[in-house]
Amino acid sequence: MAKENALTSLVNEGEIKPSQRRSLSEETADKLRELILLEKLPPGMHIPERDLAEVLGISRTPMREALRILESQGLVDHTPTRRSRVANPSVDELAQSMKVLATLEALAGELACTHASDSQITTIAALNQCMVEKSEVMSSIDFFKTDMNFHTSIVAASGNAALVDTHAKYNARLWRARFLSSRRKLGRATTLQQHQDITTALQDRNVADASRAMRDHIETAIENLFMTRDKQESFE
Amino acid sequence: MAKENALTSLVNEGEIKPSQRRSLSEETADKLRELILLEKLPPGMHIPERDLAEVLGISRTPMREALRILESQGLVDHTPTRRSRVANPSVDELAQSMKVLATLEALAGELACTHASDSQITTIAALNQCMVEKSEVMSSIDFFKTDMNFHTSIVAASGNAALVDTHAKYNARLWRARFLSSRRKLGRATTLQQHQDITTALQDRNVADASRAMRDHIETAIENLFMTRDKQESFE
DNA sequence: TGTTGACACATGGTATACCAAATTATGAAA
DNA sequence: TTTCATAATTTGGTATACCATGTGTCAACA
């Protein structure tokens, strides 16, 4: 059938990587997440677990577990009749998730001020410096990955395991939206300035500034999200 | 489909439950959650999925899914070798989760000020009033359930689906700790005052007050948590 | 021609079987 | 008695089979 052919073609594009300790479910969740973020599995598409498992050469059991993982990250949801489909969040829904993310990161900035070790702050500052120096030569994707790394490092420096965990879930859910947002030309200069503000606040261990700088940074991303919807702009 | 003939409706009336939407996995997760919160399954206990499934009369498949659900709520952990066990969070870990909860609820209060309908605020105020009037006659558990209902209603009034979802997970994770905290005699009067502050702020739709009142309320619960650890006190 | 209802099939939920890894028990050697 | 290698057992991960229900198709009928 046509569906199977379409699915088969996309598995051959990537290479299957065997791994050591990770379970098939987790590997599969990673593969599917990538396929979703690249829109190889487009938003709203139904996922028949039997067929997709067959295409990936696994049984339904780990496929089902992978779908649960993605569901908990908000990348997959269920129809009233339990059929899985790729999440297709509206801009408003993405903005709501980002609003929560902004709050989580503000908390992370606050906690990091008192909890982070000097070496952690040094690492964060180094990531910031790296982005400043190489912003002209980095590709969108590399710039973005460093950006994400910067944020994740701050959350890790908060020393709050629950926060790290929940932040990771929101990050997974919002990865694509943030990437699109960061690709906007206007964004990069603003991003660098805001990162500098965050870094400075952390170095000063100024709780109020760090919290506010983190929140403002994500709020800007929310604005970008709406702007991206309202008008198409040029990308780099 | 909409039309049913007379015979069918007569036969079905009163006999047939419309549709059993709840899966065994979800029911099992609920049962296990209860067992964990009642410490019938004590913290740190290993959970051999085969045996426990047999005890509950189900197969391993839904049991495994139930364990994944509880894991995503933080009520179950995994050892490095993947064996499930009941989570046994330290007071510090619980405090960290509550710190995140405080932030989430502060956001909920903030959003509820601008998003909640008048009737939602009326409902919230009614819950508050109910606790004030009946605090003397309610059992610990009923008082606590109303308390939880009050909080959940505010989060729902925020209109932010992601926030509702994440809050529900933290609530599940912290249910027991919050219950123990709320059982402290000293807590009830403070709780009522703080609930009143929250209610007033919401009725005034005062964003800053609502946010602060929500945060303060949970911060008090964190303090209670540590006090409960440090010295045993009398309970009602 | 449009509606309806029965039947076939698609799909997710559950049970069971099997395997590999990890844990525990065993026993021989020091 | 202690230690360590190894066998026996337990346990979680995966595959497969079966079942219940939802969904679509098409023929019969008004």
Side-chain angles (χ1 to χ4, degrees), chain A residues 21-23 26 64-65 68 72 80 82 96-97 100 103-104 107 159-163 166 169-170 173, chain B residues 21-23 26 64-65 68 82 96-97 99-100 103-104 107 159-163 166 169-170 173:
Chain A
R21 292 257 171 261
R22 290 172 70 69
S23 69
E26 291 168 310
R64 283 172 60 78
E65 297 203 347
R68 301 300 180 198
S72 81
R82 307 251 182 199
Q96 287 190 340
S97 290
V100 178
T103 297
L104 295 173
L107 175 61
N160 186 315
L163 181 57
T166 301
K169 276 190 179 159
Y170 274 84
R173 178 189 307 196
Chain B
R21 274 271 173 254
R22 248 177 124 54
S23 69
E26 291 168 308
R64 284 172 60 78
E65 296 202 350
R68 297 309 154 122
R82 308 259 183 192
Q96 286 190 340
S97 291
K99 188 78 185 172
V100 178
T103 297
L104 295 174
L107 175 62
N160 187 315
L163 182 56
T166 301
K169 277 190 178 161
Y170 275 84
R173 178 188 309 195

Side-chain angles (χ1 to χ4, degrees), chain A:
Chain A
M1 65 177 72
K3 174 169 54 182
E4 181 164 344
N5 288 337
L7 292 174
T8 305
S9 67
L10 50 84
V11 103
N12 293 335
E13 292 176 14
E15 191 42 52
I16 298 177
K17 41 190 175 182
S19 92
Q20 323 296 333
R21 292 257 171 261
R22 290 172 70 69
S23 69
L24 257 186
S25 323
E26 291 168 310
E27 277 182 31
T28 303
D30 291 343
K31 284 181 195 165
L32 292 185
R33 188 180 307 108
E34 186 135 344
L35 292 174
I36 290 171
L37 295 174
L38 296 175
E39 295 202 353
K40 299 284 188 179
L41 294 174
M45 179 186 187
H46 279 278
I47 303 177
E49 53 188 47
R50 211 174 305 254
D51 296 348
L52 191 48
E54 186 179 359
V55 165
L56 294 178
I58 62 175
S59 76
R60 284 177 62 206
T61 313
M63 172 58 67
R64 283 172 60 78
E65 297 203 347
L67 290 174
R68 301 300 180 198
I69 292 171
L70 296 177
E71 188 185 352
S72 81
Q73 294 173 341
L75 287 162
V76 164
D77 38 42
H78 278 89
T79 67
T81 59
R82 307 251 182 199
R83 296 171 69 178
S84 299
R85 65 180 170 196
V86 179
N88 189 13
S90 65
V91 172
D92 284 324
E93 287 168 330
L94 288 173
Q96 287 190 340
S97 290
M98 282 189 128
K99 189 77 186 175
V100 178
L101 183 70
T103 297
L104 295 173
E105 296 217 355
L107 175 61
E110 188 181 316
L111 295 177
C113 281
T114 57
H115 183 280
S117 67
D118 288 339
S119 83
Q120 281 176 316
I121 289 187
T122 301
T123 301
I124 291 164
L127 283 168
N128 177 55
Q129 195 59 29
C130 170
M131 291 180 75
V132 170
E133 290 169 358
K134 300 182 183 169
S135 79
E136 295 301 325
V137 298
M138 285 174 99
S139 65
S140 287
I141 184 73
D142 286 337
F143 185 82
F144 178 67
K145 283 182 176 173
T146 308
D147 188 349
M148 290 294 99
N149 200 351
F150 176 78
H151 286 258
T152 302
S153 296
I154 294 170
V155 175
S158 76
N160 186 315
L163 181 57
V164 169
D165 188 70
T166 301
H167 179 262
K169 276 190 179 159
Y170 274 84
N171 241 3
R173 178 189 307 196
L174 292 169
W175 200 93
R176 179 168 177 78
R178 291 184 86 175
F179 175 57
L180 293 180
S181 181
S182 89
R183 225 175 36 165
R184 296 183 63 254
K185 261 186 176 174
L186 282 179
R188 191 164 290 194
T190 307
T191 296
L192 290 175
Q193 180 57 53
Q194 292 179 330
H195 279 198
Q196 185 56 55
D197 294 344
I198 292 167
T199 304
T200 301
L202 288 174
Q203 287 172 324
D204 295 345
R205 296 187 183 272
N206 182 322
V207 172
D209 280 358
S211 177
R212 180 160 7 91
M214 291 291 276
R215 186 184 303 276
D216 287 348
H217 183 38
I218 308 294
E219 299 278 1
T220 300
I222 297 178
E223 289 166 20
N224 280 352
L225 185 69
F226 284 110
M227 290 176 67
T228 303
R229 175 195 61 177
D230 293 340
K231 49 181 176 182
Q232 292 302 323
E233 299 193 14
S234 60
F235 295 119
E236 290 183 347

Side-chain angles (χ1 to χ4, degrees), chain B residues 1 21 27 63 73 80 93 96 102 139-140 152 155 158 177 189 215-216 231:
Chain B
M1 164 84 55
R21 274 271 173 254
E27 282 178 19
M63 172 59 67
Q73 294 173 341
E93 288 168 330
Q96 286 190 340
S139 65
S140 288
T152 301
V155 175
S158 76
R215 186 184 304 275
D216 287 349
K231 48 180 176 181

Side-chain angles (χ1 to χ4, degrees), chain B residues 135-147:
Chain B
S135 77
E136 295 302 324
V137 297
M138 285 174 99
S139 65
S140 288
I141 183 73
D142 286 337
F143 185 82
F144 178 66
K145 282 182 178 174
T146 308
D147 189 349

